[in-house]
Amino acid sequence: MEDYEYLTKNTSPEDMFKAAKALNGKWQMLTLLGWSVDDIANKPVIAIANTCSDICPGHVNLRQVADAVKSGIAQAGGIPVEFGTIGVCDVSQNGYVLPTRDVICDSIELMVGAHEFDGLVLLGSCDKIVPGMMMAAARCNIPSIMVTGGPALGGPAFNGRAKTENTAAYEAFGMYQAGKINLEELLRVTRTVMPTIGSCSYYGTANTMSCISEAIGLQLPDGGATPAVYADRLRIAKASGVRIVELVKENICARDIITFEAIQNAISFAMATGGSTNAVIHLTALANEIGCDPKDIMAEFDRIGDEIPQIARMYPAGTEDYLMEDFYFSGGVPRVLENLKEKINLDVMTCTGHTLRENMEKHIYWQRKEANEEVIRPLSEPFGRGSLAILYGNIAPESAVCKPAGIPESMRKFTGKAVCFNSEEEAAAAIYNKSDIQPGSVVVIRYGGPKGEPGMREMCNVLKYMIGQGLGESVALITDGRFSGTNNGCFVGHISPEAAEGGPIALIENGDTICIDIESKRVDVLVDEEELKRRKANWSYTPKEVKGHLARYRKLASSAGRGAILDADRL
């Protein structure tokens, strides 16, 4: 019907009243926004949750991406309506970052619950945003599709690397402190390592979770790794707009896609690609939204880690030579899943409306027919063992996480003397001043967990500074906090229970001997149980003084071993 007919069509008051009653209030709002009664009565209303902002390079292109999605929705016969939610960049060095995951999830749930949208498109790119949006999709359980903004391209050569990525600036700072480069070189690296918009160009948490959203079936094929500045990014966005309308018509909802079997596939993908340690807490939290016990998900990480070797590598997972653009050109997520087909669940539903098996059969590798086998290899010729590991021991009776793909072979069994700090700031200051931390040390950073920080702060900078100062292969680090997906070196994080809840990491003293054994999946302090009991009896802790959201978060947050979820049972 032409536009002028909407203006001249004679709709009786009785018919308009019936439409208003049937549409339960949606009619009035959308007619006030210019939509016709016929549109509203006959077309699905598709919400677009967008984290676009001017503060984050990974989000700034989402305005253009949203326009492409809207075009696809309109083309397919839907009504696109957009709303915004927050998107904090992980470069922020405080405890607010992880809690944003739950705020994002809650805000989307509130909008969907209030407005009863027919379908949902999720636009995000960065570390906590993508998992928060996936959690919201599972919680709301309406037809949903993920569209990410894509990674940035790499920067110029530096320090022996053919390409650099933005965390090279932290390493350069450590090198400057050690007198290895001058101030001009430091500033040059800082200004050039990220030459385009997009999420970080390395395989950190942002790109791990974007690719996982594709591996789990919630994003169209090739959506996870296509660079932000490529035309295919907009083509995928428009196709996603078309596809969400079809998902509504087919009544394929989020939990038809996000299943236990799909999460198993996501874990396998993370293992195969050297994914971020943060994938453990995010997939555990996502599984919680579909009713899975966190212990079962941790058990799956442990089991799958023994079965799936690393067959793809991008910095920092075992190489300094390749970034996300190289992964994309080698076939990206579809290539990895195809190479894993003997090990994963192929009959899971995806947002294409087809199973993963059917997607594989129809997929075309447009960029190059064959993979660069220095980036993606077949299952029969892996780069090494599984790239994430769940550790236990008397320091981590509930669990801890490490990333063997980023740990030098020489440090996969490491014994050293503890140097203890009660915050990241204390540790960073000691490294900056080159005090206390010597080769053979195990840096212990505690009170950085979900309750302790509160908010489970990342320890990214400490490791980068140590690497820059030449300590990357002689000093280990353990913490109840988190690490960025860009970290490498001998590190163990997510130690549970955390120090703030009286976990054993709180009882370690300077000079204690700590043994990290990646092959045996153990992290232990070599102190007898009676001595640990004596220390526990004398232990005390004064929480940080916080207010607002962080105060609520501290009250409700579970351990990292349970996904750092907000647990209503703690009210």
Side-chain angles (χ1 to χ4, degrees):
M1 187 181 293
E2 297 295 336
D3 287 347
Y4 73 87
E5 292 185 69
Y6 287 132
L7 301 177
T8 59
K9 184 177 179 183
N10 184 16
T11 304
S12 71
E14 292 80 7
D15 286 343
M16 292 184 72
F17 178 75
K18 288 178 184 177
K21 187 175 180 180
L23 292 166
N24 193 26
K26 192 187 299 181
W27 170 80
Q28 182 185 29
M29 272 201 310
L30 292 180
T31 53
L32 292 174
L33 294 172
W35 294 94
S36 74
V37 173
D38 284 348
D39 277 335
I40 300 160
N42 297 305
K43 295 180 178 180
V45 179
I46 308 297
I48 302 169
N50 193 351
T51 55
C52 179
S53 73
D54 294 333
I55 190 62
C56 180
H59 300 165
V60 73
N61 67 325
L62 293 178
R63 171 77 279 123
Q64 189 178 15
V65 171
D67 289 341
V69 170
K70 288 178 182 178
S71 175
I73 292 170
Q75 176 182 310
I79 298 175
V81 291
E82 182 182 351
F83 66 88
T85 187
I86 63 169
V88 170
C89 180
D90 256 38
V91 75
S92 171
Q93 294 301 308
N94 56 52
Y96 281 99
V97 178
L98 180 59
T100 65
R101 183 188 69 180
D102 298 277
V103 173
I104 290 163
C105 179
D106 292 346
S107 67
I108 294 171
E109 177 201 357
L110 290 169
M111 287 295 286
V112 170
H115 293 288
E116 298 181 323
F117 301 118
D118 298 303
L120 178 63
V121 182
L122 303 158
L123 302 190
S125 292
C126 294
D127 297 39
K128 309 305 168 285
I129 291 89
V130 173
M133 288 182 151
M134 293 171 70
M135 289 164 63
R139 187 180 297 178
C140 296
N141 197 31
I142 63 173
S144 304
I145 197 166
M146 186 88 214
V147 183
T148 53
L153 302 183
F158 170 70
N159 195 31
R161 296 191 211 171
K163 300 175 186 175
T164 47
E165 38 65 49
N166 42 308
T167 66
Y170 297 114
E171 291 181 33
F173 185 73
M175 294 172 71
Y176 173 70
Q177 288 177 297
K180 297 178 181 179
I181 61 173
N182 62 30
L183 181 59
E184 183 179 336
E185 290 172 301
L186 170 61
L187 295 177
R188 182 184 67 80
V189 172
T190 303
R191 290 179 62 130
T192 61
V193 289
M194 192 166 177
T196 73
I197 60 168
S199 53
C200 302
S201 58
Y202 57 87
Y203 194 49
T205 310
N207 290 314
T208 296
M209 296 311 300
S210 291
C211 290
I212 278 177
S213 73
E214 180 183 339
I216 218 165
L218 203 63
Q219 184 163 199
L220 289 180
D222 288 323
T226 299
V229 293
Y230 283 15
D232 274 348
R233 177 52 57 194
L234 298 182
R235 292 192 189 102
I236 291 167
K238 184 173 182 180
S240 299
V242 172
R243 187 65 204 132
I244 187 60
V245 176
E246 295 169 349
L247 284 168
V248 171
K249 293 175 181 176
E250 294 161 8
N251 194 31
I252 296 174
C253 295
R255 279 188 230 155
D256 297 321
I257 296 169
I258 305 171
T259 62
F260 180 74
E261 292 75 18
I263 290 173
Q264 287 178 314
N265 287 352
I267 295 171
S268 296
F269 177 85
M271 292 293 179
T273 56
S276 168
T277 50
N278 283 316
V280 179
I281 56 173
H282 294 324
L283 285 174
T284 304
L286 176 62
N288 177 71
E289 295 293 343
I290 63 169
C292 295
D293 189 323
K295 290 182 180 178
D296 292 339
I297 302 305
M298 295 299 282
E300 286 300 297
F301 269 101
D302 196 29
R303 178 186 69 81
I304 292 171
D306 288 337
E307 292 184 6
I308 302 294
Q310 185 183 354
I311 61 170
R313 60 176 186 171
M314 301 78 74
Y315 183 78
T319 181
E320 293 185 340
D321 297 327
Y322 301 107
L323 298 176
M324 286 304 298
E325 61 199 89
D326 304 294
F327 180 64
Y328 167 70
F329 278 115
S330 288
V333 178
R335 181 91 67 188
V336 172
L337 293 176
E338 183 177 352
N339 289 0
L340 290 175
K341 62 186 176 184
E342 300 170 11
K343 298 283 189 179
I344 59 176
N345 306 304
L346 299 180
D347 294 321
V348 293
M349 177 56 63
T350 72
C351 65
T352 65
H354 301 288
T355 64
L356 178 57
R357 185 192 306 275
E358 292 167 333
N359 289 349
M360 286 181 182
E361 290 169 352
K362 296 191 297 183
H363 189 73
I364 298 173
Y365 294 102
W366 293 106
Q367 300 301 330
R368 57 185 293 170
K369 190 173 182 180
E370 305 297 331
N372 174 355
E373 291 198 1
E374 290 304 307
V375 181
I376 302 176
R377 288 185 179 176
L379 194 59
S380 59
E381 301 177 39
F383 292 107
R385 59 159 289 169
S387 54
L388 294 172
I390 307 301
L391 276 58
Y392 295 92
N394 68 351
I395 294 176
E398 290 184 5
S399 65
V401 179
C402 74
K403 185 175 180 176
I407 299 176
E409 288 283 349
S410 62
M411 298 190 72
R412 293 190 178 182
K413 187 167 185 178
F414 187 90
T415 300
K417 298 297 184 180
V419 183
C420 301
F421 302 96
N422 291 335
S423 70
E424 185 193 29
E425 291 92 343
E426 286 183 16
I431 294 166
Y432 185 87
N433 295 320
K434 301 181 183 178
S435 62
D436 300 325
I437 300 171
Q438 304 298 326
S441 299
V442 177
V443 174
V444 180
I445 305 178
R446 54 203 176 191
Y447 301 107
K451 288 185 173 296
E453 180 55 31
M456 206 177 180
R457 187 165 171 168
E458 277 192 358
M459 306 299 168
C460 166
N461 291 356
V462 173
L463 271 174
K464 289 295 179 183
Y465 294 158
M466 289 198 304
I467 289 170
Q469 291 188 5
L471 298 172
E473 295 195 19
S474 60
V475 174
L477 193 159
I478 68 170
T479 181
D480 51 8
R482 300 180 295 118
F483 292 98
S484 167
T486 185
N487 282 131
N488 51 4
C490 185
F491 64 91
V492 178
H494 305 198
I495 288 175
S496 300
E498 63 176 290
E501 292 196 300
I505 191 174
L507 310 179
I508 299 171
E509 295 181 356
N510 288 330
D512 285 348
T513 299
I514 293 175
C515 181
I516 301 167
D517 189 337
I518 305 303
E519 296 303 321
S520 299
K521 300 181 182 179
R522 299 281 307 182
V523 55
D524 294 285
V525 57
L526 303 187
V527 174
D528 65 59
E529 286 301 311
E530 288 304 314
E531 172 62 13
L532 290 177
K533 287 179 182 177
R534 185 191 68 76
R535 293 180 187 181
K536 182 65 180 286
N538 294 322
W539 172 78
S540 63
Y541 169 62
T542 302
K544 279 186 178 180
E545 197 170 313
V546 291
K547 57 185 178 180
H549 181 78
L550 289 186
R552 294 193 296 274
Y553 185 88
R554 181 165 61 198
K555 182 178 177 66
L556 298 176
S558 71
S559 70
R562 297 188 60 224
I565 60 170
L566 297 187
D567 190 348
D569 291 340
R570 294 178 177 238
L571 284 170

